[in-house]
Each structure stands twice: as structure tokens, then as C-alpha cells.
Amino acid sequence: MKKQIVQKLGFSLIFLCMLITLFFLFLIIYFITTRGIKVISWEFLTALPHEEMTKGGIAPAILGTFYLTLGAILVSLPLGIACAIYLCEYTPQGFLLNIIRMSINNLAGVPSVVFGLFGLAIFVKFFGFGVSIISGSLTLGILILPLIISAVQEALMAVPVSLREASFALGATKWQTIKKAVLPNALSGILTGTILSIGRAAGETAPIIFTAVAFYTKGYPKSLFSEVMALPYHIYALMTEGIYPEAQTSIAYGCSLILLFLVLSLSSVAILIRQRRRSLHYG
């Protein structure tokens, strides 16, 4: 009887925590949506800003955010998967591996502004890329690299050892086992890490302040070495540096709603790919 009471209390606590989490999640969505929907229009989505960013639209900022996020994923995903495979499948277990994993986890906790200063020193100054899309994408890619490595490692370690042993017993090589048996079974975890990384890259402001974004541009970027506008920095600029707070605050909420929609859209694509791959793999 006592065990059943404890079990019910435990379930009730878990259910309460879930309700609190959902409450704050929907509160954020409601807060942003009710304030941002007022300025959403076709012109807001497709036009250039003008009259000191109190009129017009945010098309360059939307495009810039998409470029930076896509560039960061293209940079970090192959590196992260390769690094995680090497650490999990080829590096001997021991003290050195534990140090490397601990370092990667600690790197994920470094403030994002530090990555911005790193990107400024290395990509903007040392390599001479300047404040540009490529500098911002590389900086964001390095920022989310520890997150991807950790997620892929967890996914690889969750694959049963018996699966590898069965593959070896059939005469497969190490690489064939990884390619044909381990990676397909770890794909869901890998895509989950990718989804989280997309949200992190799209929403970061500090790393791109020094490496990629401009307060205002007259048009769209023409190459990888062009400055861009980005939604996170545009929101920051509207709320802190504008001289027309009433008009710019409404636009900032509109930008927040579009940024939220953009992140959810990119994440939804990744989720659909994950579900499709899972259905193809498991039938």
C-alpha cells in the first residue's frame, strides 16, 4: 500500500512538472505571437527596411539568418559526426579519452561571446575574411560543434554492442560495421542533436556581432564575403539602439515571431527527415 502511494506521488510530481513546462512554453509562444502578429504583412516579410528601420520589412534579416544557420550546420555537422565516430569507435577507452570528452563538454558551456571574440581574431582578422557570412558561419559552426559531438557520441554509444559483434561475426570490416550497422541505428539521435543545434545557431547573437552582421545594409548579400543582417541582432538593435522606441518595439516583436517560426520550420524539416529515415530503417 505504501509503495503504491509513493508511486502515485511520483507520477503526480512528474505530471505537474510536465504541466509547468508546457505552461511556460505556451506562455512564451502566446506572448510573442500576440505582440508580433500585429506587424506581420507581405511587405514586412519581403521588403527592405527604410526610414531608420521604422518602416518597410525585414527580408535581408530573414535571408541572413537562414544563410548563417545553414552555413553553421554545413560546417559543424560533418566535423562533429567524424569526431564522434573516431572517439567512440577508434579511440581506446581510458584516461585520455575521458579528458577529451570532458573538454568537449566544458567547451559547450563557454559563453557564446567568447566564441565571437575567437571568430573575430581568427576568421575576420587572421584569415582576412572580414565581417562576412563565411566568418559568421564558421564561428557559429564551432560554437555548436561540441553540442553535435556530444549528441552523436550519445547516439553511437546507445547502439547495442551485440549489433557490432554480429556484424564482425559475418565478416564485415570495422568501417562496414560503422557504415551499415551503427550509423543507421544512431541516426535518430544524430538528427536530434542536429535539431537542437539549428535552434542554437539561429538564435545566437553574441558570436555574430563581431563576425557577420551589420546594423543596416542597403540590399541583400552578394557573396559569402558580404555583411548581412540577422534577426537576433536586428531585434537587439531595435530594442537598444533605436531612436523611435514605439515603432521599433512592435517591429522587434514581429522579428521575434518570424525568428521563432524560422527555427521551428528548420527543426520541423529535420524532424521529418528523422521520421522518414526511421520508417525506412525499421519499416
Side-chain angles (χ1 to χ4, degrees):
M1 188 65 183
K2 185 179 178 181
K3 292 181 180 178
Q4 292 178 344
I5 293 174
V6 172
Q7 177 175 278
K8 286 183 179 179
L9 286 174
F11 286 158
S12 300
L13 184 61
I14 293 171
F15 185 69
L16 180 63
C17 291
M18 183 198 69
L19 287 179
I20 293 173
T21 304
L22 291 177
F23 170 75
F24 282 109
L25 176 63
F26 285 110
L27 185 63
I28 291 170
I29 294 174
Y30 174 78
F31 183 82
I32 297 297
T33 302
T34 53
R35 284 161 177 77
I37 197 70
K38 299 173 184 174
V39 298
I40 302 297
S41 65
W42 180 248
E43 183 190 7
F44 186 74
L45 297 175
T46 58
L48 298 173
H50 57 85
E51 295 186 21
E52 300 185 13
M53 294 193 295
T54 59
K55 301 287 184 182
I58 58 168
I62 296 174
L63 195 62
T65 303
F66 179 77
Y67 283 159
L68 291 172
T69 306
L70 183 63
I73 293 298
L74 291 177
V75 168
S76 60
L77 193 58
L79 291 175
I81 292 176
C83 182
I85 289 175
Y86 186 80
L87 291 176
C88 287
E89 304 294 335
Y90 291 98
T91 306
Q93 298 291 324
F95 178 75
L96 180 60
L97 181 61
N98 292 333
I99 292 294
I100 293 173
R101 284 177 173 162
M102 187 174 67
S103 301
I104 291 172
N105 292 332
N106 288 335
L107 200 59
V110 173
S112 57
V113 68
V114 176
F115 285 95
L117 291 174
F118 171 79
L120 174 65
I122 300 299
F123 302 124
V124 177
K125 301 292 184 182
F126 183 76
F127 286 110
F129 295 152
V131 177
S132 60
I133 294 174
I134 190 168
S135 294
S137 297
L138 289 168
T139 304
L140 286 174
I142 292 177
L143 172 72
I144 62 176
L145 191 57
L147 182 62
I148 291 181
I149 293 173
S150 299
V152 177
Q153 281 191 106
E154 293 295 328
L156 293 176
M157 287 189 291
V159 178
V161 176
S162 58
L163 197 64
R164 295 176 175 82
E165 293 174 345
S167 179
F168 293 144
L170 293 172
T173 63
K174 182 90 171 179
W175 174 242
Q176 287 174 328
T177 300
I178 294 171
K179 183 179 177 183
K180 299 290 185 181
V182 177
L183 283 178
N185 281 279
L187 190 61
S188 295
I190 294 172
L191 288 174
T192 300
T194 305
I195 293 167
L196 296 174
S197 303
I198 288 172
R200 179 84 189 272
E204 282 291 345
T205 307
I208 59 176
I209 288 177
F210 306 122
T211 58
V213 295
F215 181 73
Y216 172 72
T217 59
K218 293 184 178 179
Y220 298 98
K222 295 180 174 59
S223 73
L224 289 175
F225 298 96
S226 300
E227 288 181 326
V228 288
M229 295 178 68
L231 287 171
Y233 181 68
H234 195 55
I235 296 167
Y236 171 79
L238 287 169
M239 297 299 290
T240 59
E241 302 178 21
I243 56 177
Y244 303 98
E246 289 187 4
Q248 291 174 333
T249 299
S250 300
I251 296 174
Y253 279 117
C255 291
S256 302
L257 182 59
I258 297 301
L259 179 59
L260 189 64
F261 178 78
L262 185 65
V263 171
L264 292 177
S265 299
L266 292 172
S267 300
S268 298
V269 172
I271 291 171
L272 287 175
I273 295 173
R274 182 180 66 182
Q275 294 298 333
R276 181 174 174 78
R277 292 292 304 176
R278 184 180 291 174
S279 61
L280 288 174
H281 185 69
Y282 293 106

